[in-house]
Amino acid sequence: GVQTCALPIYGHLYAFQGRTLDQAIKAHETGIEAMYTYAGGLCSGSKDGKVKLWSSDLECTAEFDVAGLGSTLSSRIRSVCLSADCSRVLVGTHGSEILELSANDGSDANAGPLVRGHCKGELWGLAVHPTKPQFCTVGDDKTLRVFDIATRKLIRFKEMDSMARACAYSPDGKQIAVGLGGRAGHGAGKKDGAFLILNEADLNTMHEGRDSQQYVSEIKYTPDGGTLAVGTHDNNIYFYDVGNNFTKRAVFSKHNSYITHLDFTKDSQHMQSNCGAYELLFADVTTGSQIPAASALKNADRKSVV
């Protein structure tokens, strides 16, 4: 008998007259994921970051390489649109970016994306700068991003080698602490339980530490900036001495489930924390010892930390 083998064909454009195939051309080397039609022809975008303009009879009139611009986290094209005067092309990428390109030479009209955002899985961590109108976020796409509150635009971002679940500014705003790890349907990551201390001004790494093998779910500085508390999925909260190169000072280990929230008294001496078992516990920040009676802190001023 005769055997046939069907192979997938990617990157082709097909033109039909009614229901009859009139023309087929190899337009891109990889799959075409975006098309936009206009009076003069067609604009297409592919997985390999290429954008092409076509005449009405499918002659390629221009080709632009978004990946070659070097300003995108992921150049895979997911959307294209041509301006009414055919002078500009808007390009949406898999990296959650929107760029505006010249339709004449493919140059970037704005020296970078118009819009940038997280682009994979979920966003978890968020912290507001103590004095500047800015906030930072982390999530499953392994990036830390700093945004301007007024304009809602990305100011700077840092690629990391792990997803993250928590972030926090130091009280003076000079540091950003990031708790690494997560799940999102995957197994344990190589950096689960680690934390980074970044210089707020340029996002360079100042310190990296790790005392847990379970991912970090909460991270905060005390109001005086002297202690960093890191809560993880191993049910523990680790206290680090900020002024002593983040040396581990104590561990609070009385919770029966993963840590969900924590905050401090205004004097930075005591902490209250929650976990997945719905416990509310209290601890001494200096020693890590539990304070069994909640009444012992009933008159303590609480410092709300974002």
Side-chain angles (χ1 to χ4, degrees), residues 33-76:
E33 297 193 330
M35 292 193 301
Y36 177 81
T37 59
Y38 61 102
L42 174 74
C43 179
S44 63
S46 66
K47 292 174 65 176
D48 62 2
K50 299 291 179 56
V51 174
K52 293 186 178 182
L53 300 180
W54 306 85
S55 65
S56 56
D57 56 358
L58 295 186
E59 291 290 333
C60 184
T61 59
E63 177 180 342
F64 312 131
D65 184 8
V66 174
L69 295 174
S71 59
T72 61
L73 186 63
S74 172
S75 59
R76 179 175 176 176

mmCIF file of all heavy atoms in Angstrom, residues 33-76:
data_model
loop_
_atom_site.group_PDB
_atom_site.id
_atom_site.type_symbol
_atom_site.label_atom_id
_atom_site.label_comp_id
_atom_site.label_asym_id
_atom_site.label_seq_id
_atom_site.Cartn_x
_atom_site.Cartn_y
_atom_site.Cartn_z
ATOM 1 N N GLU A 33 2.069 34.465 13.860
ATOM 2 C CA GLU A 33 1.150 34.571 14.985
ATOM 3 C C GLU A 33 0.360 35.868 14.983
ATOM 4 O O GLU A 33 -0.475 36.085 15.869
ATOM 5 C CB GLU A 33 1.908 34.418 16.304
ATOM 6 C CG GLU A 33 2.569 33.045 16.449
ATOM 7 C CD GLU A 33 3.034 32.777 17.860
ATOM 8 O OE1 GLU A 33 3.373 33.743 18.570
ATOM 9 O OE2 GLU A 33 3.052 31.598 18.250
ATOM 10 N N ALA A 34 0.620 36.753 14.032
ATOM 11 C CA ALA A 34 -0.111 38.028 13.978
ATOM 12 C C ALA A 34 -0.186 38.522 12.535
ATOM 13 O O ALA A 34 0.797 38.446 11.793
ATOM 14 C CB ALA A 34 0.577 39.074 14.858
ATOM 15 N N MET A 35 -1.356 39.032 12.148
ATOM 16 C CA MET A 35 -1.531 39.630 10.824
ATOM 17 C C MET A 35 -2.463 40.839 10.935
ATOM 18 O O MET A 35 -3.358 40.867 11.779
ATOM 19 C CB MET A 35 -2.117 38.625 9.821
ATOM 20 C CG MET A 35 -1.207 37.486 9.461
ATOM 21 S SD MET A 35 -1.803 36.560 8.018
ATOM 22 C CE MET A 35 -3.407 36.011 8.598
ATOM 23 N N TYR A 36 -2.203 41.814 10.086
ATOM 24 C CA TYR A 36 -3.057 43.003 10.015
ATOM 25 C C TYR A 36 -3.199 43.389 8.550
ATOM 26 O O TYR A 36 -2.201 43.555 7.838
ATOM 27 C CB TYR A 36 -2.446 44.155 10.812
ATOM 28 C CG TYR A 36 -3.243 45.437 10.736
ATOM 29 C CD1 TYR A 36 -4.369 45.632 11.535
ATOM 30 C CD2 TYR A 36 -2.872 46.452 9.856
ATOM 31 C CE1 TYR A 36 -5.099 46.809 11.465
ATOM 32 C CE2 TYR A 36 -3.599 47.628 9.778
ATOM 33 C CZ TYR A 36 -4.716 47.799 10.587
ATOM 34 O OH TYR A 36 -5.440 48.958 10.510
ATOM 35 N N THR A 37 -4.416 43.511 8.080
ATOM 36 C CA THR A 37 -4.646 43.893 6.686
ATOM 37 C C THR A 37 -4.991 45.369 6.590
ATOM 38 O O THR A 37 -5.609 45.935 7.502
ATOM 39 C CB THR A 37 -5.793 43.066 6.076
ATOM 40 O OG1 THR A 37 -6.984 43.271 6.840
ATOM 41 C CG2 THR A 37 -5.451 41.591 6.060
ATOM 42 N N TYR A 38 -4.560 45.988 5.498
ATOM 43 C CA TYR A 38 -4.875 47.397 5.239
ATOM 44 C C TYR A 38 -5.084 47.547 3.735
ATOM 45 O O TYR A 38 -4.935 46.571 2.966
ATOM 46 C CB TYR A 38 -3.774 48.314 5.763
ATOM 47 C CG TYR A 38 -2.415 48.099 5.147
ATOM 48 C CD1 TYR A 38 -1.928 48.958 4.166
ATOM 49 C CD2 TYR A 38 -1.604 47.027 5.565
ATOM 50 C CE1 TYR A 38 -0.685 48.770 3.605
ATOM 51 C CE2 TYR A 38 -0.356 46.835 4.999
ATOM 52 C CZ TYR A 38 0.093 47.700 4.022
ATOM 53 O OH TYR A 38 1.338 47.510 3.463
ATOM 54 N N ALA A 39 -5.441 48.740 3.296
ATOM 55 C CA ALA A 39 -5.806 48.948 1.893
ATOM 56 C C ALA A 39 -4.693 48.546 0.933
ATOM 57 O O ALA A 39 -4.942 48.046 -0.165
ATOM 58 C CB ALA A 39 -6.185 50.411 1.660
ATOM 59 N N GLY A 40 -3.433 48.745 1.365
ATOM 60 C CA GLY A 40 -2.321 48.469 0.468
ATOM 61 C C GLY A 40 -1.781 47.065 0.542
ATOM 62 O O GLY A 40 -0.908 46.690 -0.244
ATOM 63 N N GLY A 41 -2.241 46.254 1.516
ATOM 64 C CA GLY A 41 -1.707 44.911 1.614
ATOM 65 C C GLY A 41 -1.847 44.324 2.999
ATOM 66 O O GLY A 41 -2.901 44.398 3.633
ATOM 67 N N LEU A 42 -0.731 43.771 3.517
ATOM 68 C CA LEU A 42 -0.765 42.972 4.736
ATOM 69 C C LEU A 42 0.496 43.197 5.549
ATOM 70 O O LEU A 42 1.584 43.398 4.991
ATOM 71 C CB LEU A 42 -0.878 41.484 4.356
ATOM 72 C CG LEU A 42 -0.792 40.438 5.452
ATOM 73 C CD1 LEU A 42 -2.078 40.432 6.264
ATOM 74 C CD2 LEU A 42 -0.548 39.056 4.836
ATOM 75 N N CYS A 43 0.347 43.152 6.869
ATOM 76 C CA CYS A 43 1.477 43.186 7.795
ATOM 77 C C CYS A 43 1.444 41.891 8.594
ATOM 78 O O CYS A 43 0.381 41.486 9.082
ATOM 79 C CB CYS A 43 1.389 44.398 8.718
ATOM 80 S SG CYS A 43 2.736 44.528 9.923
ATOM 81 N N SER A 44 2.586 41.220 8.752
ATOM 82 C CA SER A 44 2.629 39.943 9.470
ATOM 83 C C SER A 44 3.755 39.940 10.490
ATOM 84 O O SER A 44 4.768 40.632 10.342
ATOM 85 C CB SER A 44 2.807 38.785 8.488
ATOM 86 O OG SER A 44 4.042 38.891 7.794
ATOM 87 N N GLY A 45 3.569 39.130 11.538
ATOM 88 C CA GLY A 45 4.590 38.982 12.577
ATOM 89 C C GLY A 45 4.719 37.530 12.968
ATOM 90 O O GLY A 45 3.728 36.795 12.998
ATOM 91 N N SER A 46 5.944 37.084 13.303
ATOM 92 C CA SER A 46 6.185 35.661 13.556
ATOM 93 C C SER A 46 6.869 35.425 14.895
ATOM 94 O O SER A 46 7.274 36.357 15.589
ATOM 95 C CB SER A 46 7.036 35.072 12.430
ATOM 96 O OG SER A 46 8.328 35.659 12.440
ATOM 97 N N LYS A 47 7.006 34.144 15.216
ATOM 98 C CA LYS A 47 7.615 33.739 16.477
ATOM 99 C C LYS A 47 9.076 34.138 16.572
ATOM 100 O O LYS A 47 9.605 34.303 17.675
ATOM 101 C CB LYS A 47 7.485 32.221 16.651
ATOM 102 C CG LYS A 47 6.072 31.732 16.869
ATOM 103 C CD LYS A 47 5.989 30.219 16.888
ATOM 104 C CE LYS A 47 6.746 29.629 18.057
ATOM 105 N NZ LYS A 47 6.587 28.152 18.136
ATOM 106 N N ASP A 48 9.764 34.278 15.439
ATOM 107 C CA ASP A 48 11.189 34.592 15.474
ATOM 108 C C ASP A 48 11.481 36.087 15.580
ATOM 109 O O ASP A 48 12.631 36.512 15.448
ATOM 110 C CB ASP A 48 11.895 34.005 14.244
ATOM 111 C CG ASP A 48 11.372 34.581 12.926
ATOM 112 O OD1 ASP A 48 10.490 35.457 12.966
ATOM 113 O OD2 ASP A 48 11.843 34.143 11.860
ATOM 114 N N GLY A 49 10.441 36.887 15.801
ATOM 115 C CA GLY A 49 10.649 38.316 15.992
ATOM 116 C C GLY A 49 10.703 39.128 14.723
ATOM 117 O O GLY A 49 11.080 40.310 14.763
ATOM 118 N N LYS A 50 10.318 38.560 13.605
ATOM 119 C CA LYS A 50 10.349 39.286 12.337
ATOM 120 C C LYS A 50 8.966 39.872 12.029
ATOM 121 O O LYS A 50 7.940 39.217 12.221
ATOM 122 C CB LYS A 50 10.758 38.359 11.194
ATOM 123 C CG LYS A 50 12.151 37.752 11.357
ATOM 124 C CD LYS A 50 13.230 38.805 11.218
ATOM 125 C CE LYS A 50 14.623 38.230 11.411
ATOM 126 N NZ LYS A 50 14.945 37.115 10.530
ATOM 127 N N VAL A 51 8.948 41.122 11.533
ATOM 128 C CA VAL A 51 7.741 41.785 11.041
ATOM 129 C C VAL A 51 7.949 42.069 9.568
ATOM 130 O O VAL A 51 9.003 42.582 9.171
ATOM 131 C CB VAL A 51 7.474 43.100 11.805
ATOM 132 C CG1 VAL A 51 6.295 43.857 11.202
ATOM 133 C CG2 VAL A 51 7.211 42.820 13.278
ATOM 134 N N LYS A 52 6.952 41.725 8.733
ATOM 135 C CA LYS A 52 7.063 41.955 7.289
ATOM 136 C C LYS A 52 5.832 42.674 6.764
ATOM 137 O O LYS A 52 4.720 42.468 7.253
ATOM 138 C CB LYS A 52 7.249 40.627 6.552
ATOM 139 C CG LYS A 52 8.567 39.931 6.849
ATOM 140 C CD LYS A 52 8.759 38.695 5.983
ATOM 141 C CE LYS A 52 10.101 38.032 6.254
ATOM 142 N NZ LYS A 52 10.343 36.851 5.386
ATOM 143 N N LEU A 53 6.086 43.520 5.766
ATOM 144 C CA LEU A 53 5.010 44.206 5.048
ATOM 145 C C LEU A 53 4.893 43.590 3.663
ATOM 146 O O LEU A 53 5.911 43.312 3.003
ATOM 147 C CB LEU A 53 5.299 45.702 4.945
ATOM 148 C CG LEU A 53 5.452 46.478 6.259
ATOM 149 C CD1 LEU A 53 5.731 47.954 5.981
ATOM 150 C CD2 LEU A 53 4.221 46.331 7.134
ATOM 151 N N TRP A 54 3.633 43.391 3.232
ATOM 152 C CA TRP A 54 3.361 42.728 1.965
ATOM 153 C C TRP A 54 2.414 43.578 1.121
ATOM 154 O O TRP A 54 1.498 44.204 1.640
ATOM 155 C CB TRP A 54 2.715 41.361 2.206
ATOM 156 C CG TRP A 54 3.491 40.471 3.126
ATOM 157 C CD1 TRP A 54 3.444 40.447 4.478
ATOM 158 C CD2 TRP A 54 4.459 39.493 2.738
ATOM 159 N NE1 TRP A 54 4.308 39.521 4.985
ATOM 160 C CE2 TRP A 54 4.948 38.912 3.929
ATOM 161 C CE3 TRP A 54 4.955 39.062 1.510
ATOM 162 C CZ2 TRP A 54 5.911 37.908 3.924
ATOM 163 C CZ3 TRP A 54 5.916 38.052 1.510
ATOM 164 C CH2 TRP A 54 6.385 37.491 2.701
ATOM 165 N N SER A 55 2.638 43.547 -0.186
ATOM 166 C CA SER A 55 1.710 44.212 -1.101
ATOM 167 C C SER A 55 0.453 43.355 -1.228
ATOM 168 O O SER A 55 0.391 42.229 -0.733
ATOM 169 C CB SER A 55 2.370 44.400 -2.471
ATOM 170 O OG SER A 55 2.621 43.136 -3.071
ATOM 171 N N SER A 56 -0.537 43.871 -1.954
ATOM 172 C CA SER A 56 -1.795 43.142 -2.110
ATOM 173 C C SER A 56 -1.630 41.838 -2.883
ATOM 174 O O SER A 56 -2.439 40.915 -2.749
ATOM 175 C CB SER A 56 -2.839 44.028 -2.802
ATOM 176 O OG SER A 56 -2.334 44.493 -4.049
ATOM 177 N N ASP A 57 -0.555 41.712 -3.686
ATOM 178 C CA ASP A 57 -0.304 40.463 -4.395
ATOM 179 C C ASP A 57 0.792 39.629 -3.717
ATOM 180 O O ASP A 57 1.434 38.781 -4.340
ATOM 181 C CB ASP A 57 0.060 40.720 -5.855
ATOM 182 C CG ASP A 57 1.254 41.659 -5.997
ATOM 183 O OD1 ASP A 57 1.765 42.125 -4.955
ATOM 184 O OD2 ASP A 57 1.674 41.908 -7.133
ATOM 185 N N LEU A 58 1.001 39.910 -2.399
ATOM 186 C CA LEU A 58 1.912 39.154 -1.537
ATOM 187 C C LEU A 58 3.370 39.209 -1.984
ATOM 188 O O LEU A 58 4.107 38.235 -1.904
ATOM 189 C CB LEU A 58 1.459 37.692 -1.422
ATOM 190 C CG LEU A 58 0.100 37.470 -0.710
ATOM 191 C CD1 LEU A 58 -0.176 35.996 -0.522
ATOM 192 C CD2 LEU A 58 0.050 38.203 0.618
ATOM 193 N N GLU A 59 3.783 40.396 -2.390
ATOM 194 C CA GLU A 59 5.203 40.673 -2.593
ATOM 195 C C GLU A 59 5.724 41.361 -1.329
ATOM 196 O O GLU A 59 5.136 42.349 -0.881
ATOM 197 C CB GLU A 59 5.419 41.571 -3.809
ATOM 198 C CG GLU A 59 5.127 40.909 -5.136
ATOM 199 C CD GLU A 59 6.137 39.844 -5.495
ATOM 200 O OE1 GLU A 59 7.303 39.949 -5.031
ATOM 201 O OE2 GLU A 59 5.768 38.906 -6.221
ATOM 202 N N CYS A 60 6.808 40.850 -0.761
ATOM 203 C CA CYS A 60 7.357 41.443 0.464
ATOM 204 C C CYS A 60 8.005 42.787 0.141
ATOM 205 O O CYS A 60 8.923 42.870 -0.690
ATOM 206 C CB CYS A 60 8.374 40.502 1.089
ATOM 207 S SG CYS A 60 9.036 41.096 2.662
ATOM 208 N N THR A 61 7.531 43.837 0.805
ATOM 209 C CA THR A 61 8.051 45.184 0.552
ATOM 210 C C THR A 61 8.989 45.678 1.645
ATOM 211 O O THR A 61 9.741 46.628 1.435
ATOM 212 C CB THR A 61 6.886 46.182 0.406
ATOM 213 O OG1 THR A 61 6.100 46.184 1.610
ATOM 214 C CG2 THR A 61 5.995 45.787 -0.775
ATOM 215 N N ALA A 62 8.935 45.048 2.826
ATOM 216 C CA ALA A 62 9.822 45.459 3.921
ATOM 217 C C ALA A 62 9.901 44.340 4.946
ATOM 218 O O ALA A 62 8.954 43.566 5.121
ATOM 219 C CB ALA A 62 9.319 46.739 4.587
ATOM 220 N N GLU A 63 11.041 44.250 5.622
ATOM 221 C CA GLU A 63 11.244 43.256 6.680
ATOM 222 C C GLU A 63 11.994 43.894 7.833
ATOM 223 O O GLU A 63 13.030 44.541 7.623
ATOM 224 C CB GLU A 63 12.030 42.052 6.158
ATOM 225 C CG GLU A 63 12.332 41.017 7.226
ATOM 226 C CD GLU A 63 13.114 39.835 6.700
ATOM 227 O OE1 GLU A 63 13.134 39.646 5.457
ATOM 228 O OE2 GLU A 63 13.699 39.100 7.516
ATOM 229 N N PHE A 64 11.477 43.724 9.054
ATOM 230 C CA PHE A 64 12.088 44.313 10.246
ATOM 231 C C PHE A 64 12.348 43.218 11.279
ATOM 232 O O PHE A 64 11.546 42.298 11.436
ATOM 233 C CB PHE A 64 11.178 45.386 10.861
ATOM 234 C CG PHE A 64 10.644 46.378 9.863
ATOM 235 C CD1 PHE A 64 9.299 46.685 9.826
ATOM 236 C CD2 PHE A 64 11.490 47.000 8.950
ATOM 237 C CE1 PHE A 64 8.788 47.589 8.922
ATOM 238 C CE2 PHE A 64 10.999 47.902 8.034
ATOM 239 C CZ PHE A 64 9.642 48.207 8.008
ATOM 240 N N ASP A 65 13.460 43.341 11.989
ATOM 241 C CA ASP A 65 13.848 42.354 12.996
ATOM 242 C C ASP A 65 13.703 42.969 14.386
ATOM 243 O O ASP A 65 14.553 43.740 14.824
ATOM 244 C CB ASP A 65 15.285 41.899 12.757
ATOM 245 C CG ASP A 65 15.714 40.808 13.723
ATOM 246 O OD1 ASP A 65 14.861 40.296 14.465
ATOM 247 O OD2 ASP A 65 16.910 40.469 13.739
ATOM 248 N N VAL A 66 12.630 42.627 15.070
ATOM 249 C CA VAL A 66 12.394 43.156 16.422
ATOM 250 C C VAL A 66 13.428 42.606 17.389
ATOM 251 O O VAL A 66 13.903 43.311 18.289
ATOM 252 C CB VAL A 66 10.965 42.821 16.888
ATOM 253 C CG1 VAL A 66 10.755 43.223 18.345
ATOM 254 C CG2 VAL A 66 9.939 43.524 16.003
ATOM 255 N N ALA A 67 13.796 41.343 17.227
ATOM 256 C CA ALA A 67 14.806 40.755 18.107
ATOM 257 C C ALA A 67 16.127 41.512 18.016
ATOM 258 O O ALA A 67 16.840 41.674 19.006
ATOM 259 C CB ALA A 67 15.013 39.287 17.755
ATOM 260 N N GLY A 68 16.460 42.007 16.827
ATOM 261 C CA GLY A 68 17.710 42.713 16.625
ATOM 262 C C GLY A 68 17.781 44.065 17.313
ATOM 263 O O GLY A 68 18.867 44.623 17.471
ATOM 264 N N LEU A 69 16.637 44.594 17.720
ATOM 265 C CA LEU A 69 16.631 45.885 18.418
ATOM 266 C C LEU A 69 17.259 45.768 19.800
ATOM 267 O O LEU A 69 17.775 46.748 20.344
ATOM 268 C CB LEU A 69 15.202 46.419 18.541
ATOM 269 C CG LEU A 69 14.494 46.768 17.229
ATOM 270 C CD1 LEU A 69 13.040 47.152 17.501
ATOM 271 C CD2 LEU A 69 15.216 47.915 16.524
ATOM 272 N N GLY A 70 17.163 44.570 20.410
ATOM 273 C CA GLY A 70 17.786 44.342 21.715
ATOM 274 C C GLY A 70 17.081 45.003 22.879
ATOM 275 O O GLY A 70 17.656 45.109 23.968
ATOM 276 N N SER A 71 15.846 45.441 22.700
ATOM 277 C CA SER A 71 15.151 46.154 23.776
ATOM 278 C C SER A 71 13.957 45.376 24.330
ATOM 279 O O SER A 71 13.213 45.904 25.140
ATOM 280 C CB SER A 71 14.671 47.521 23.269
ATOM 281 O OG SER A 71 13.789 47.366 22.163
ATOM 282 N N THR A 72 13.794 44.131 23.888
ATOM 283 C CA THR A 72 12.648 43.341 24.330
ATOM 284 C C THR A 72 13.101 42.143 25.153
ATOM 285 O O THR A 72 14.156 41.554 24.908
ATOM 286 C CB THR A 72 11.824 42.835 23.131
ATOM 287 O OG1 THR A 72 12.654 41.997 22.323
ATOM 288 C CG2 THR A 72 11.308 43.999 22.308
ATOM 289 N N LEU A 73 12.274 41.772 26.144
ATOM 290 C CA LEU A 73 12.549 40.596 26.949
ATOM 291 C C LEU A 73 12.261 39.329 26.156
ATOM 292 O O LEU A 73 12.960 38.337 26.249
ATOM 293 C CB LEU A 73 11.709 40.623 28.229
ATOM 294 C CG LEU A 73 11.989 39.528 29.256
ATOM 295 C CD1 LEU A 73 13.419 39.637 29.773
ATOM 296 C CD2 LEU A 73 11.002 39.614 30.411
ATOM 297 N N SER A 74 11.210 39.368 25.362
ATOM 298 C CA SER A 74 10.875 38.273 24.451
ATOM 299 C C SER A 74 10.359 38.894 23.156
ATOM 300 O O SER A 74 9.356 39.601 23.165
ATOM 301 C CB SER A 74 9.793 37.361 25.056
ATOM 302 O OG SER A 74 9.344 36.412 24.107
ATOM 303 N N SER A 75 11.021 38.625 22.034
ATOM 304 C CA SER A 75 10.684 39.284 20.771
ATOM 305 C C SER A 75 9.641 38.516 19.963
ATOM 306 O O SER A 75 9.338 38.893 18.831
ATOM 307 C CB SER A 75 11.941 39.483 19.930
ATOM 308 O OG SER A 75 12.560 38.238 19.667
ATOM 309 N N ARG A 76 9.109 37.457 20.489
ATOM 310 C CA ARG A 76 8.067 36.693 19.788
ATOM 311 C C ARG A 76 6.869 37.607 19.534
ATOM 312 O O ARG A 76 6.292 38.173 20.465
ATOM 313 C CB ARG A 76 7.668 35.497 20.633
ATOM 314 C CG ARG A 76 6.587 34.625 20.039
ATOM 315 C CD ARG A 76 6.367 33.412 20.926
ATOM 316 N NE ARG A 76 5.279 32.584 20.443
ATOM 317 C CZ ARG A 76 4.925 31.419 21.004
ATOM 318 N NH1 ARG A 76 5.603 30.974 22.057
ATOM 319 N NH2 ARG A 76 3.918 30.730 20.511
#
